[in-house]
Amino acid sequence: GGIKFSEQLVHIGLVCGETTHWCFEDVLKLLAAKNINIPFLCHSGVSTSAESVFCVDSKDFDTVQSVLNASLFAESTFAVTHSVGTLTVFPHRYSVQFLGQILAVITGCNYPVYSLSTSISTVAINTDYYSLDTIATKLQTVVELPENHAPFRQEFCLKQVQ
C-alpha cells in the first residue's frame, strides 16, 4: 500500500437549488474556460437539489471565487474551506472495514473530514493540510506500508494552456 498527499487546496461545497439543479455544469464550463484544474470532485444530484464538492489549488482560488460570485443563481450557495489537503490511501481492496478503520483513526484524533471518495483501489480524504504528516503517522496503526515508505508528495502540477 501507499499514501499520497496533495498540494495545498481550497475545498468548495456548492449546493444548487431545485430550479437551478444544473448550475454545477455551468460552473464547470466556466472553470474549464479559465483553465482551472479540479483535482478532487464529487457530485450528487439525487435529491431536489444538486450538491457538489470540489477542490482547487489555493493559487487559483481568487479566480474560482470570481467565477462563483458572478455565475451562481439565486437558490445556489457555496461554502469555502482553506488549507485543505487530500490524503489518498491505496490500495484498499474493496474493504468497507478498512475505510471504517481509516475514518476512525482520523476522527478519533479530532481531525476534520471535509469530504471523501473511494474507488475500488483508493480512498481519498480531504482534511486539514497542515495535519497530513501527523495523520499519515497515526494511520500506520491500520495501514500496512512497505518498509521505509514515505508519503508521496506531488512535486509539480500540470496546467492546461490554450
Side-chain angles (χ1 to χ4, degrees):
I3 295 176
K4 177 184 172 224
F5 295 157
S6 73
E7 64 278 1
Q8 188 170 1
L9 304 171
V10 176
H11 185 270
I12 301 165
L14 174 64
V15 177
C16 298
E18 186 174 342
T19 61
T20 57
H21 192 267
W22 298 108
C23 77
F24 187 60
E25 181 179 336
D26 296 333
V27 169
L28 288 178
K29 288 177 185 176
L30 291 167
L31 294 177
K34 301 275 187 188
N35 296 320
I36 303 294
N37 290 329
I38 302 174
F40 182 90
L41 170 69
C42 289
H43 177 76
S44 173
V46 295
S47 63
T48 57
S49 64
E51 297 179 22
S52 307
V53 172
F54 62 99
C55 292
V56 297
D57 190 295
S58 57
K59 292 174 264 178
D60 292 329
F61 177 67
D62 289 339
T63 303
V64 172
Q65 187 172 29
S66 297
V67 166
L68 290 172
N69 286 334
S71 66
L72 290 180
F73 301 94
E75 292 181 32
S76 301
T77 59
F78 67 94
V80 175
T81 306
H82 293 272
S83 300
V84 171
T86 303
L87 183 141
T88 305
V89 179
F90 56 92
H92 78 75
R93 297 181 181 94
Y94 328 100
S95 175
V96 175
Q97 180 181 2
F98 184 55
L99 174 61
Q101 290 172 331
I102 291 170
L103 291 174
V105 168
I106 294 171
T107 59
C109 295
N110 294 317
Y111 295 111
V113 174
Y114 300 118
S115 57
L116 66 92
S117 68
T118 183
S119 69
I120 291 172
S121 61
T122 64
V123 176
I125 300 168
N126 291 310
T127 188
D128 177 59
Y129 177 78
Y130 297 106
S131 300
L132 290 176
D133 286 307
T134 306
I135 293 170
T137 299
K138 292 185 182 299
L139 283 176
Q140 290 180 19
T141 61
V142 295
V143 176
E144 205 172 302
L145 297 172
E147 193 174 324
N148 298 320
H149 177 273
F152 174 73
R153 292 182 186 275
Q154 192 168 320
E155 295 181 16
F156 62 90
C157 182
L158 298 177
K159 184 119 174 141
Q160 179 180 339
V161 293
Q162 297 289 14

